Amino acid sequence: MSEAKKLITRWSRDFQGNLQEDPNGSWVLAADAAIRDKRLMDKIDQLQQRLTAADERADRLEQALKFYADGDHLLLADPDAWDTCSGEPVNFLHDDAGTASVEDGSIAKAALKPAGGDGDEK
């Protein structure tokens, strides 16, 4: 048995088996390893909470975009009174009286398209 192994064996006996090897190959007291493991688990929990919050926010933003993309924001009493206007982007509708304009949801539809996709995926 090498001198290092003899020393580790003696230390393990002296510390009543509380000496253990960590993933880096170092020898630490079990209590220190437990503290490190607890800190690691706490960090993992914090990151998971942040990821969950980000996922929930992304879901809410997607719902808001879908509201516009589906045209649910357009409450047109007379849809025939709205049309595109020469010189303006085709996604902007203007009323016949020239008093109002609204975007038709095309921007939200474009934002909802998967990256690299053609937008037909559901």
Side-chain angles (χ1 to χ4, degrees), residues 106-120:
S106 297
I107 294 171
K109 285 179 192 172
L112 287 169
K113 283 186 183 178
D118 60 8
D120 291 336

Side-chain angles (χ1 to χ4, degrees), residues 52-75:
T52 300
D55 285 345
E56 290 170 357
R57 179 172 166 73
D59 289 344
R60 288 192 310 272
L61 289 171
E62 185 176 8
Q63 289 172 353
L65 282 173
K66 191 167 176 1
F67 174 81
Y68 286 99
D70 291 345
D72 292 338
H73 68 294
L74 296 174
L75 301 174

Side-chain angles (χ1 to χ4, degrees), residues 27-48:
W27 291 88
V28 296
L29 287 174
D32 293 339
I35 290 169
R36 189 175 50 245
D37 290 346
K38 170 82 168 92
R39 287 181 185 149
L40 179 60
M41 293 307 296
D42 289 347
K43 185 66 172 176
I44 290 170
D45 288 344
Q46 290 171 358
L47 291 172
Q48 184 60 52

Side-chain angles (χ1 to χ4, degrees), residues 18-29:
N18 289 326
L19 196 63
Q20 61 181 220
E21 191 173 6
D22 72 5
N24 298 323
S26 302
W27 291 88
V28 296
L29 287 174

Side-chain angles (χ1 to χ4, degrees), residues 10 19 31 43 50 62 64 75 82-83 86-87 93 96-97 105-106 119:
R10 192 182 87 221
L19 196 63
K43 185 66 172 176
R50 289 177 60 191
E62 185 176 8
L75 301 174
W82 294 80
D83 201 358
S86 177
L93 303 176
D96 285 342
S106 297

